[in-house]
Amino acid sequence: MKTALRNYHARMQRVLDYIDQHLDDDLDLGAVSRVAAFSKFHFHRQFVATFGLSVHRYVQLARMKRASRRLAWNDAESVTEIAMDAGYDAPDAFARAFRQRFGQSPSSFRKSPDWAPWIAAFGPLDNARNKFMQIIFTHDDVTIRDVPPMPVAMIEHRGDRATLGTTIERFKAWCKAEGLSPETGRSSLMVFRSERCPANPADYSMDLCVGTDRPIEMNDEGMKAGLIPGGRCAVLRYPGNTNNLEPAALYLYRDWLPDSGEEVRDFPIYCQRRLSLMPDVSAPEVIVELFLPLK
């Protein structure tokens, strides 16, 4: 029974991966159901029952998330071009949908993004993407490594996660100005000093880091020098690029750690994102790994 369930989940996960990788294609119900090898007559209900939203809604949200990121980080693209790529026939229709979802026009969001409604709007998308994360991990997915220490430039975020987008914007702007963006081959890291959703939102705490041994001068962005300590770590590679690593962290703490006989070290759990520039691949692969420091 467990094997059959895992196979079913793997087929559904394959559907999400396919959609995310083919947002520019015609993602009709028949095409998507064939990816999972399910009957198109039942697939819609299966998808809704599994993920809590329809295929059409998932595709809409995924395209809108991509569009909003392009607005925030790519000034070279026009709003019209972004609207068309998001599946809208006219910029006006895109603008209405955008304002309804985020409370801002696309041009206003581009100038000064309000990240709190942005995070809330994509809750259903994040929930769908992480539906099976607690199930697909096994102990074989975890390796123990001796990790060398890494000097970093870092910015601290302290306070409500709804304001995290502003900190991320400052971090990215500084990295871009210093030539330390991920596109240059640099690793970006996040040190999680609190739960993703603490009981008191004001207690949310994390550090955004980028690997560099350069001296860090005083700056308006709040960047400073830091160090990710070396030592033994349990490492779990996350299957896909995501902004919610809570399921993976939960697996490490709840399942892997008690069975391993290991003890944690006095440093928070952290993740590392890096680009793997593989030959003959149209887009670089994002590798996400979660590190649990061990004694």
Side-chain angles (χ1 to χ4, degrees), residues 175-278:
C175 289
K176 184 176 181 180
E178 296 294 322
L180 296 175
S181 63
E183 289 78 9
T184 65
R186 298 284 176 170
S187 293
S188 62
L189 302 98
M190 294 182 289
V191 180
F192 303 106
R193 298 186 178 275
S194 74
E195 298 176 19
R196 178 179 171 85
C197 298
N200 181 2
D203 292 336
Y204 182 75
S205 176
M206 71 172 295
D207 302 333
L208 295 165
C209 312
V210 61
T212 180
D213 55 3
R214 297 182 191 175
I216 309 301
E217 300 179 355
M218 292 285 293
N219 57 82
D220 294 336
E221 289 80 6
M223 299 293 298
K224 63 181 182 180
L227 179 71
I228 306 296
R232 295 176 70 247
C233 289
V235 184
L236 175 59
R237 178 173 290 196
Y238 205 92
N241 188 18
T242 181
N243 291 322
N244 182 9
L245 291 166
E246 192 72 11
L250 179 62
Y251 171 79
L252 283 173
Y253 283 117
R254 184 195 62 197
D255 299 318
W256 182 86
L257 188 61
D259 288 344
S260 70
E262 297 282 350
E263 293 187 33
V264 293
R265 194 163 15 116
D266 191 20
F267 188 79
I269 193 169
Y270 65 95
C271 86
Q272 180 176 359
R273 280 183 168 88
R274 57 189 173 86
L275 291 181
S276 176
L277 301 175
M278 304 294 290

Side-chain angles (χ1 to χ4, degrees), residues 65-77:
K65 189 170 188 177
R66 182 181 67 171
S68 62
R69 283 176 166 166
R70 289 165 67 179
L71 282 168
W73 307 119
N74 191 346
D75 293 335
E77 291 184 288

Side-chain angles (χ1 to χ4, degrees), residues 273-289:
R273 280 183 168 88
R274 57 189 173 86
L275 291 181
S276 176
L277 301 175
M278 304 294 290
D280 303 323
V281 176
S282 59
E285 177 189 5
V286 179
I287 296 174
V288 182
E289 293 178 317

Side-chain angles (χ1 to χ4, degrees), residues 104-136:
Q104 286 183 284
S105 68
S107 57
S108 175
F109 184 86
R110 167 166 272 175
K111 293 176 183 176
S112 181
D114 184 355
W115 293 107
W118 188 91
I119 292 173
F122 294 116
L125 191 68
D126 292 337
N127 290 339
R129 284 297 308 168
N130 294 289
K131 192 74 174 181
F132 305 134
M133 290 299 102
Q134 293 170 326
I135 298 173
I136 67 172

Side-chain angles (χ1 to χ4, degrees), residues 20-163:
D20 291 344
Q21 294 164 12
H22 296 83
L23 289 177
D24 293 325
D25 296 349
D26 182 13
L27 294 168
D28 62 72
L29 194 61
V32 175
S33 64
R34 285 193 294 273
V35 172
F38 286 130
S39 166
K40 68 177 180 179
F41 299 108
H42 304 288
F43 180 68
H44 175 72
R45 288 186 176 87
Q46 288 175 282
F47 192 95
V48 173
T50 301
F51 298 115
L53 72 170
S54 68
V55 175
H56 178 69
R57 178 67 170 157
Y58 182 92
V59 171
Q60 274 190 327
L61 285 172
R63 285 172 173 163
M64 185 62 80
K65 189 170 188 177
R66 182 181 67 171
S68 62
R69 283 176 166 166
R70 289 165 67 179
L71 282 168
W73 307 119
N74 191 346
D75 293 335
E77 291 184 288
S78 69
V79 173
T80 298
E81 184 179 0
I82 292 173
M84 298 302 180
D85 287 345
Y88 290 86
D89 294 332
D92 289 348
F94 174 70
R96 284 194 300 271
F98 197 95
R99 183 183 292 277
Q100 183 179 14
R101 191 160 285 126
F102 305 117
Q104 286 183 284
S105 68
S107 57
S108 175
F109 184 86
R110 167 166 272 175
K111 293 176 183 176
S112 181
D114 184 355
W115 293 107
W118 188 91
I119 292 173
F122 294 116
L125 191 68
D126 292 337
N127 290 339
R129 284 297 308 168
N130 294 289
K131 192 74 174 181
F132 305 134
M133 290 299 102
Q134 293 170 326
I135 298 173
I136 67 172
F137 293 129
T138 70
H139 288 11
D140 291 338
D141 296 322
V142 182
T143 59
I144 296 180
R145 298 185 205 162
D146 285 313
V147 179
M150 180 185 296
V152 296
M154 59 177 286
I155 185 172
E156 298 174 342
H157 178 86
R158 304 292 183 264
D160 197 327
R161 184 172 171 269
T163 65

